[in-house]
C-alpha cells in the first residue's frame, strides 16, 4: 500500500482537478475573511456580476484595524470605519456569518475559528492572512492567500494551487523550565532562517510536540510562515478532540463518533517520505528572543548578538542595516538592554493559556515604572474567561493595561503603535521594521519572557525571575 | 481582474539588493485601509522612501533618478511575511511589471502571478551579474522574454532561462486570471462540493 503523509492525505482529498503542467484546482472547506483583505475581492465580484457561491463556508470578523478601546462606539478613524462597514455590508448582502465588534465571538480570526469549533481536522482552510497556518494545529491544511484568491474562493470555493514540497520537523524530549512553545518555534526559525522552509508545507511531530496543549500547538503552527513555509500542521490526537468536543460548530452525537473515526486516519503512515526531515532536541531549547528585523534573527536570551564573522556582500550589508535599525551592535549581549513597551496579544500568543501564564508570573509583582504594558486578549471569549478566572484583576494590579480584542500592536493598523525608536518586547510574530509602528523596534519572545521584562524593565531571562 | 498581457519586456532596471525584504516594507500596514485597489504606488516602500515628515530620503533607490524602469531586481527572499496582495498592487501601480530575484517568498510569488507582475527567479550568480551591470551602467537594458522564458542583459548578451509552469505562462501571455478558469469549472466544483 502507498505510504502517505498526513499532508498528502488531506491535500489529495481536496483536488477537484489537476491542470496538466499547472496547479491543482483545490477545494476549500472553510474560508475566513476580515475587513482588510476582503473589500477589493467583493468589489471585483460585483464588477464581474457574480455572487458568493457557498456563503455558509465563509465566516467573517473585523480584527486587523479595529480600535481596542470603546468598541461599543463608532470607530473614529474614517478609513478603518469604512473598511469595517464594508465588511458588514458585504456579509449582509451575501449572507455570510459575521462575528462583529462587541459580539460574543468577536476576536482575531485565527483565535475565534478554533474557539467556535469551525476549525477541524482534515479540513482545508484559507484566509487573506498569512497566519492562517495557525489552524494547522488541528491537523488541517491551512494557509494564507492574496486578495485575488479571496475572490476566487468567494466565487467558486476553489483556488489554483501547486502542491508544495513536504518537510517534517520533529522535536523530541522534555522542555526545560521556563521554555514554552514560542521558544520552540523561535528556536527552529533561528536554526533554519526566515526563508528556510520556503516552498514547503511542514508537519510538526515528535514527543515534545505531542505533549503540547492545543494553544501551544497553535503558537507553533502560527509561525510556520515566518520560516517561509506555506503552512504547518500537527496530526490530530486526543488533545485535539478534547479541545473540540462540545464547541459550537464541532460535530455532535453520532456525527462526533464518525468524525473521530475519520480524524484517527489522519496520520502520516510509517515509512512515508518527506522531501526534507529535521530533528531537534528539546533540551537544546532555551528562552529565545529576537534581536533583528526578521523572525529568523533569534538567539537564546542568554546569548550574545552574532558578530558579522563569515558574512559578506549583501548578506552582511543587510545584517548591519538590520542591527542599525534596532540600535544594537554585533557581538554584544542582549540581556540587560532596557525596554519601553511590552505587548501580550496577537494570534500567536493572545489565547487564554498565554494570559494565564503572564498572570501567574506577575502575580504579586509590579511592572517596572519605565514600562508601558499592554495586554490584548485574542477574542471576547478569552477576555471573558480571563475575567472569570481573576486574571484581569491580577494583571491590572501589576500595572498592565487591558485592552479589547483585536490585532492591535501586532501590526499597528489602529492607534496601538509603539513610538519611533522605542523598544517593545512582544508576544506577536513579526519584528519587521515598522511592524508595530513607524520606527518601532520589536523583539519577539514568549509570554513568560515578556512578563519577566515587564517586571524588570530590561531584557531578562524568565528563569531568573522564576527563582525569586 | 484581467491585467495587461505580458510577452516581451525590454527595460532598464531598478536595483534593490537588500535581503529579506518583507511585504510590510513594500507597503506598510497603515496604508492598507482602502476599500478599492487604487493609489497604492504612492506608498510603495513608504518608510524607506520618505522620512516621517514626508520628505524623500535621498539614499533610497526609488528616489535616485539614475535608476528607473519596469523591472525591479531584488535581493534574496523578496516578499516574505504578510500575504497582503497590496504589496504587488503597489509595485504594479508604481510601474513595475517584473521582479527579478534569486529567491522569492511563496505567497508573494503567487500574488504576483495572479495580478500580472512576472516573478523571475534567477541563479544567485546571475543576480550578482545583474546588480553589477546595473551599477556599472544604470541605463543598461534587460530583456524578459516570457514565450522563450529567458532573461537577457542586452549589452553583453548574458542570458539565463527561468521556470514558470505552462498554465501560468499562458495566463500571463493572455492577461487571463485563475478566476476565469475556475468559473468555467462550475459544474465539476458543484459535484465535488455536494459530496463534502
Ligand atoms: S494578530 Fe497579527 S499576525 Fe495575527 S492576524 Fe492579526 S495582524 Fe495578523
Amino acid at each position: 500500500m502507498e505510504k502517505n503523509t498526513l499532508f498528502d492525505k488531506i491535500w489529495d482529498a481536496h483536488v477537484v482537478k489537476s491542470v496538466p503542467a499547472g496547479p491543482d484546482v483545490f477545494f476549500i472547506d472553510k474560508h475566513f475573511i476580515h475587513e482588510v483583505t476582503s473589500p477589493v475581492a467583493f468589489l471585483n465580484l460585483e464588477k464581474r456580476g457574480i455572487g458568493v457561491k457557498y456563503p455558509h463556508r465563509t465566516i467573517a470578523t473585523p480584527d486587523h484595524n479595529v480600535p481596542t478601546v470603546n468598541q461599543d462606539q463608532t470607530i473614529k478613524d474614517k478609513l478603518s470605519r469604512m473598511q469595517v462597514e464594508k465588511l458588514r455590508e458585504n456579509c449582509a448582502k451575501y449572507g455570510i456569518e459575521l462575528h462583529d465588534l462587541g459580539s460574543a465571538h468577536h476576536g482575531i480570526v485565527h483565535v475565534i475559528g478554533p474557539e467556535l469549533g469551525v476549525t477541524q481536522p482534515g479540513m482545508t482552510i484559507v484566509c487573506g492572512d498569512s497566519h492562517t497556518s495557525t489552524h494547522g494545529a488541528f491537523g488541517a491544511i491551512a494557509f494564507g492567500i492574496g486578495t485575488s484568491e479571496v475572490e476566487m474562493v468567494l466565487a467558486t470555493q476553489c483556488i489554483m494551487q501547486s502542491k508544495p514540497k513536504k518537510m517534517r520537523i520533529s522535536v523530541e524530549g522534555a522542555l526545560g523550565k521556563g521554555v514554552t512553545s514560542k521558544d520552540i518555534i523561535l528556536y527552529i526559525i533561528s536554526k533554519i532562517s526566515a526563508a528556510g522552509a520556503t516552498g514547503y508545507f511542514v508537519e510538526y511531530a515528535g514527543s515534545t510536540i505531542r505533549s503540547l496543549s492545543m494553544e501551544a500547538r497553535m503558537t507553533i503552527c502560527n509561525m510556520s510562515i515566518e520560516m517561509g513555509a506555506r503552512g504547518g500542521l500537527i496530526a490530530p490526537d486526543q488533545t485535539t478532540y478534547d479541545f473540540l468536543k462540545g464547541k459550537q460548530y464541532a460535530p455532535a452525537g453520532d456525527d462526533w463518533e464518525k468524525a473521530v473515526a475519520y480524524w484517527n486516519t489522519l496520520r502520516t503512515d510509517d515509512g512515508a517520505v518527506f522531501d526534507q526531515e529535521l530533528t531537534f532536541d528539546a533540551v537544546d531549547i532555551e528562552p529565545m528572543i529576537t534581536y533583528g528585523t526578521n523572525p529568523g534573527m533569534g538567539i537564546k536570551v542568554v546569548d550574545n548578538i552574532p558578530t558579522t564573522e563569515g558574512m559578506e556582500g549583501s548578506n552582511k550589508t543587510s545584517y548591519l542595516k538590520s542591527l542599525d535599525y534596532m540600535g544594537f551592535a554585533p557581538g554584544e549581549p542582549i540581556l540587560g538592554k532596557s525596554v519601553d513597551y511590552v505587548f501580550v496579544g496577537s494570534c500567536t500568543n493572545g489565547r487564554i493559556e498565554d494570559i494565564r501564564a503572564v498572570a501567574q508570573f506577575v502575580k504579586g509583582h509590579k511592572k517596572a515604572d519605565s514600562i508601558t504594558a499592554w495586554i490584548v486578549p485574542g477574542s471576547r471569549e478569552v477576555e471573558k474567561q480571563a475575567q472569570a478566572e481573576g486574571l484581569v484583576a491580577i494583571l491590572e494590579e501589576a500595572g498592565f493595561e487591558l485592552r479589547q480584542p483585536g490585532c492591535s500592536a501586532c501590526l499597528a493598523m489602529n492607534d496601538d503603535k509603539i513610538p519611533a525608536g522605542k523598544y517593545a518586547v512582544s508576544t506577536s510574530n513579526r519584528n519587521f521594521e515598522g511592524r508595530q509602528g513607524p520606527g518601532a523596534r520589536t523583539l519577539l519572545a514568549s509570554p513568560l519572557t515578556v512578563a519577566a521584562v515587564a517586571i524588570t524593565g530590561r531584557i531578562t531571562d524568565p528563569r531568573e525571575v522564576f527563582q525569586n | 481582474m484581467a491585467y495587461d498581457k505580458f510577452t516581451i519586456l525590454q527595460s532598464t532596471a531598478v536595483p534593490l539588493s537588500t535581503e529579506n525584504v518583507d511585504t510590510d516594507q513594500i507597503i506598510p500596514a497603515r496604508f492598507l485601509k482602502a476599500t478599492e485597489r487604487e493609489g497604492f504606488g504612492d506608498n510603495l516602500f513608504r518608510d524607506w522612501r520618505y522620512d516621517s515628515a514626508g520628505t524623500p530620503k535621498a539614499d533610497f533607490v526609488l528616489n535616485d533618478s539614475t535608476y528607473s524602469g519596469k523591472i525591479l531586481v531584488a535581493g534574496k527572499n523578496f516578499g516574505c511575511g504578510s500575504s497582503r496582495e497590496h504589496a504587488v498592487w503597489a509595485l504594479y501601480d508604481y510601474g513595475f511589471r517584473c521582479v527579478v530575484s534569486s529567491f522569492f517568498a511563496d505567497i508573494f510569488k503567487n500574488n504576483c502571478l495572479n495580478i500580472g507582475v512576472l516573478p523571475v527567479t534567477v541563479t544567485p550568480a546571475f543576480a550578482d551579474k545583474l546588480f553589477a551591470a546595473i551599477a556599472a551602467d544604470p541605463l543598461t537594458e534587460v530583456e524578459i522574454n516570457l514565450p522563450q522564458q529567458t532573461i537577457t542583459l542586452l549589452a553583453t548578451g548574458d542570458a539565463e532561462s527561468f521556470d514558470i509552469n505552462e498554465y501560468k505562462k499562458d495566463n500571463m501571455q493572455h492577461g487571463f486570471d485563475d478566476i476565469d478558469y475556475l468559473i468555467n469549472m462550475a459544474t465539476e466544483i458543484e459535484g465535488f462540493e455536494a459530496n463534502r
Side-chain angles (χ1 to χ4, degrees), chain A residues 11-249:
Chain A
W11 183 281
D12 297 349
H14 289 83
V15 175
V16 179
K17 180 185 166 185
S18 287
V19 180
D24 291 338
V25 175
F26 192 64
F27 186 82
I28 302 302
D29 293 317
K30 286 292 172 192
H31 180 212
F32 294 107
I33 57 172
H34 60 81
E35 76 282 19
V36 175
T37 54
S38 69
V40 171
F42 281 110
L43 198 69
N44 285 349
L45 286 187
E46 247 158 67
K47 284 188 190 155
R48 288 181 202 263
I50 51 179
V52 176
K53 185 84 181 173
Y54 301 108
H56 67 285
R57 290 185 178 273
T58 295
I59 285 189
T61 192
D63 55 2
H64 278 63
N65 75 26
V66 299
T68 51
V69 289
N70 303 325
Q71 286 186 346
D72 55 330
Q73 296 170 18
T74 312
I75 300 175
K76 286 208 188 78
D77 181 276
K78 182 168 162 260
L79 293 173
S80 299
R81 190 173 66 238
M82 275 172 57
Q83 277 192 330
V84 173
E85 277 168 5
K86 266 278 170 254
L87 185 71
R88 289 177 183 145
E89 237 172 69
N90 287 325
C91 288
K93 179 168 170 191
Y94 296 107
I96 293 168
E97 180 175 317
L98 171 69
H99 296 279
D100 207 347
L101 278 177
S103 70
H105 288 290
H106 171 251
I108 304 171
V109 60
H110 311 309
V111 177
I112 69 166
E115 232 168 54
L116 286 161
V118 172
T119 304
Q120 294 169 21
M123 283 184 167
T124 52
I125 298 172
V126 294
C127 172
D129 185 282
S130 57
H131 293 100
T132 308
S133 59
T134 313
H135 306 265
F138 290 79
I141 292 183
F143 55 88
I145 56 175
T147 297
S148 294
E149 292 166 319
V150 171
E151 183 188 346
M152 291 173 214
V153 179
L154 291 171
T156 70
Q157 208 58 38
C158 284
I159 49 177
M160 311 286 290
Q161 287 290 302
S162 299
K163 193 174 182 179
K165 289 182 286 186
K166 291 159 292 186
M167 181 187 292
R168 178 159 60 190
I169 298 182
S170 305
V171 189
E172 303 286 354
L175 286 174
K177 195 171 151 191
V179 183
T180 70
S181 68
K182 180 65 161 288
D183 301 304
I184 300 178
I185 190 66
L186 284 174
Y187 177 81
I188 295 172
I189 304 169
S190 78
K191 290 290 171 203
I192 74 170
S193 93
T198 304
Y200 290 90
F201 214 96
V202 176
E203 178 177 348
Y204 300 96
S207 61
T208 318
I209 304 292
R210 294 253 72 82
S211 71
L212 298 174
S213 67
M214 285 318 294
E215 283 87 350
R217 292 179 189 186
M218 283 189 254
T219 302
I220 297 211
C221 290
N222 173 276
M223 289 192 72
S224 305
I225 180 76
E226 307 312 337
M227 50 188 173
R230 215 47 221 285
L233 80 177
I234 296 172
D237 59 12
Q238 198 55 44
T239 307
T240 321
Y241 310 154
D242 292 345
F243 182 99
L244 274 175
K245 191 150 196 187
K247 294 268 190 289
Q248 186 174 338
Y249 286 96

